Amino acid sequence: ALCGEGLERAPAHVALWRTLGLAQLQRRDGDAAATAFERALALEPDDGETHYNHGVALQMQGRLSDAARAYQRALAFRPDMVAADFNLGVLFQEQGATDAAIKAYQSVLKANSQYANAYKNLGEVLLGSGRIDAWLANFERFGDVALDGARGHGDAVESGG
């Protein structure tokens, strides 16, 4: 309530709307988070990170097409936002859009060749679509990343998805 009261007194304060949206994401309240990010975007429509977070909230609500558009807007403002490309890959993979998922995961790996979950998901898409040669090549690259991480050359293999 306190944060809400502050927002009512300063409705044009974009940082408050962003903070409220992030807090609602932490609470797993996609509806409230989406509303807060929409208010922030009304005030600052060219903020790539807010578009990304809005996409996360929309995805949480099951509004996958809207989430994909939000991630694409995030990338329009922040082409280096690897998380938006990765989440697009996940959405496309879930929707069976194989080529779009492959393109998204390849974009992630072009930006960050150590992104282990992108290798994993790309491998699943390639194998599921019968692209065995491409899957093998991806598997070898993923193996190299995992070995480098195991040798202590960085945080190559991450947990979670």
Side-chain angles (χ1 to χ4, degrees):
L2 182 59
C3 189
E5 291 171 12
L7 289 172
E8 292 309 316
R9 286 194 298 260
H13 201 302
V14 69
L16 289 175
W17 287 113
R18 283 191 203 119
T19 300
L20 178 61
L22 291 171
Q24 298 300 347
L25 282 180
Q26 289 295 317
R27 293 182 60 231
R28 311 264 330 134
D29 186 344
D31 293 338
T35 299
F37 291 128
E38 287 161 9
R39 296 286 298 263
L41 288 167
L43 298 169
E44 195 171 315
D46 60 350
D47 182 63
E49 187 148 344
T50 302
H51 281 289
Y52 168 78
N53 288 321
H54 187 226
V56 172
L58 294 168
Q59 189 172 359
M60 193 179 286
Q61 292 176 302
R63 296 170 53 193
L64 303 185
S65 295
D66 292 334
R69 281 191 290 280
Y71 294 139
Q72 289 163 338
R73 283 192 298 275
L75 289 165
F77 294 109
R78 294 259 321 268
D80 62 333
M81 187 175 281
V82 174
D85 262 327
F86 182 81
N87 284 7
L88 273 173
V90 170
L91 286 177
F92 293 142
Q93 185 176 359
E94 289 174 354
Q95 295 172 334
T98 301
D99 291 338
I102 290 169
K103 182 179 177 190
Y105 292 134
Q106 287 174 335
S107 181
V108 169
L109 293 170
K110 182 178 179 186
N112 179 356
S113 65
Q114 302 297 302
Y115 204 119
N117 281 335
Y119 283 109
K120 177 185 140 321
N121 289 12
L122 177 58
E124 291 172 0
V125 173
L126 293 169
L127 188 60
S129 63
R131 301 175 194 189
I132 304 303
D133 289 340
W135 175 80
L136 285 170
N138 179 70
F139 186 78
E140 288 174 7
R141 285 190 300 276
F142 176 67
D144 292 342
V145 168
L147 284 175
D148 284 348
R151 291 184 189 124
H153 296 310
D155 298 324
V157 180
E158 51 195 55
S159 62

